[in-house]
Every structure is written in structure tokens, then in C-alpha cells.
Amino acid sequence: MNRGRMGAARAKRGGDGFAPVAEVLDGYLDASGLGVALARLRAMDDWGDAVGPRISRVTRPVEVRGETLVVEVLSSAWITELTMMGGIILKRVNARGTGPPIGRIRFRLAETTETITRSAGRADGHG
């Protein structure tokens, strides 16, 4: 950890040299930018509720890259339809989210239909 920051933190706390782990971890996550990235991952959990059961059955959120949520889709026909609905879906995802907003959704064809159909049976709609 940066000694300058640590020294400032010690002075702020009265010089005892100890800080709660949560405080140190929060500081690290903020300084590294990982806190924002982790908060954006919540969009994956919110996906099923945001898009509803019909879309959830043919999609599966797989990752967040920066501000982009990557979603696997069962077929190219669905990719076309979802791309046209992209603005509406993005608003729904961000409306449900408590973290930083998702800036873009990228739909890609699933490598196998098994991962989509298997995750469709889950209550949250993703694998």
C-alpha cells in the first residue's frame, strides 16, 4: 500500500497504525477502480428481472467489460431483435441497478445453446 496514504490514514486515526479491514479494502477498491467494476457486475444479477422471462429464456449475461454488459443470445434472429430493442433494455437494466450505470449492451451468439437453455430454468435467468 502507498506509504504516503498509510501515513495520512494513521494520522487521521490518531497514529495507532491499525485500520478496519473494510476501510482498507474500500480504499483499495476506490483507488484501483475495481469498486466501480464490481458494482457494475450487479447488472448480471438484475438481468432476468430487467428483461422479463421471455427474453431471459433466450439470453444469458456473461461478463461486464468496462461499461459494456456482454450477453449471449440463443440465435442470430434474437440478436437482431434485441439489438433493435437495445435502448429500451439498457434503460431497464440501469433502472434496476444500484451501481454505476451500464453504458452499452453487446449481444453475441452463444457458442452452445446448452448454456442458455440450462440457465433459463434458474429463477434469476442467468448461469
Side-chain angles (χ1 to χ4, degrees), residues 25-44 46 63-69 94 97-103:
L25 184 58
D26 284 345
Y28 173 75
L29 291 175
D30 287 344
S32 67
L34 288 174
V36 172
L38 288 172
R40 278 197 179 103
L41 288 174
R42 292 184 192 138
M44 292 177 64
D46 295 336
E63 66 182 315
V64 176
R65 290 185 184 171
E67 295 182 359
T68 302
L69 174 63
N94 284 328
T98 55
I102 296 295

Side-chain angles (χ1 to χ4, degrees), residues 24-91:
V24 174
L25 184 58
D26 284 345
Y28 173 75
L29 291 175
D30 287 344
S32 67
L34 288 174
V36 172
L38 288 172
R40 278 197 179 103
L41 288 174
R42 292 184 192 138
M44 292 177 64
D45 292 331
D46 295 336
W47 178 256
D49 291 332
V51 299
R54 180 173 170 251
I55 293 174
S56 185
R57 278 192 293 271
V58 297
T59 60
R60 181 176 71 105
V62 292
E63 66 182 315
V64 176
R65 290 185 184 171
E67 295 182 359
T68 302
L69 174 63
V70 181
V71 178
E72 286 190 339
V73 183
L74 191 61
S75 70
S76 57
W78 269 108
I79 289 176
T80 302
E81 184 169 342
L82 294 173
T83 300
M84 289 189 293
M85 296 171 48
I88 295 168
I89 294 171
L90 184 62
K91 284 180 185 175

Side-chain angles (χ1 to χ4, degrees), residues 102-125:
I102 296 295
R104 179 175 174 251
I105 299 175
R106 180 176 159 248
F107 298 105
R108 73 178 186 203
L109 192 59
E111 291 181 21
T112 66
T113 59
E114 180 181 313
T115 58
I116 302 283
T117 55
R118 193 172 12 143
S119 67
R122 291 185 48 168
D124 62 4

Side-chain angles (χ1 to χ4, degrees), residues 1-20 23-24:
M1 186 170 219
N2 184 328
R3 290 186 188 272
R5 284 187 186 174
M6 187 175 259
R10 273 191 203 135
K12 186 173 146 183
R13 287 188 310 279
D16 64 2
F18 294 101
E23 183 181 312
V24 174

